[in-house]
Amino acid sequence: GESVGLHLPTLSVQEGDNSIINCAYSNSASDYFIWYKQESGKGPQFIIDIRSNMDKRQGQRVTVLLNKTVKHLSLQIAATQPGDSAVYFCAETPNSGNTPLVFGKGTRLSVIA
Amino acid sequence: SAVISQKPSRDICQRGTSLTIQCQVDSQVTMMFWYRQQPGQSLTLIATANQGSEATYESGFVIDKFPISRPNLTFSTLTVSNMSPEDSSIYLCSVVVSGTGLYGYTFGSGTRLTVV
């Protein structure tokens, strides 16, 4: 399939370890943030989201942290599995549902079995 | 949720020609967007497809190069005109269903365009 993220920063982690992927955003007016996972040959898939009135949100094996002071977002994946290997993007928008998403640069996660 | 069908899924085109990409959604949606993803890079917004009126383009994208139609609330097309090798990218359609959550912003699987 089409290669995605060949030139993106790469994070390599051992299977079973925790992964932390970071993202800096620039728009202080952003109100809504999403993490997406993109596998080769596919469109972005929703992982987890968070609103600006929260600083932490947990899902199944994933946690998103938001630091509005420094405009920083992180995605934590617990017990990383080979199936987690993909490119991860953060995205933001100032008015969820009414304005388009702006995407961050992306990080390629490579899980070593 | 909304299911997005994008056609074609991939194509190889000659420079100087044009390609029209279709985005069909299985339910009515208010917001539709077109993105470009150049090789090894992130997604960049091309335009917001407005139903019944001209699309709203982002800086660096113009209607003559990327004409967009949106005749109704379930369908849109993006044309890549007078193509050059620099237009080789993945083009993605995105829709907003509920605004937030798993069914908030949804993406099609993309059209992989190679211009030779």
Side-chain angles (χ1 to χ4, degrees), chain B residues 35-102:
Chain B
Y35 287 83
R36 180 177 73 182
Q37 187 174 25
Q38 293 177 300
Q41 300 197 25
S42 184
L43 284 75
T44 300
L45 180 68
I46 298 173
T48 300
N50 299 310
Q51 193 263 328
S53 65
E54 192 172 287
T56 304
Y57 289 85
E58 297 299 303
S59 175
F61 297 95
V62 295
I63 188 171
D64 290 346
K65 176 67 176 177
F66 297 102
I68 288 171
S69 78
R70 189 172 174 199
N72 56 52
L73 293 177
T74 64
F75 185 77
S76 178
T77 66
L78 168 75
T79 299
V80 186
S81 303
N82 188 24
M83 289 184 284
S84 67
E86 291 71 35
D87 294 320
S88 297
S89 294
I90 302 171
Y91 292 87
L92 295 131
C93 170
S94 174
V95 304
V96 179
V97 179
S98 64
T100 60
L102 179 59

Side-chain angles (χ1 to χ4, degrees), chain A residues 11 20-24 35 72-75 88 90 106-107:
Chain A
L11 173 66
I20 299 177
I21 301 171
N22 296 304
C23 176
W35 278 101
H72 183 268
L73 197 67
S74 70
L75 175 70
Y88 291 80
C90 66
T107 298

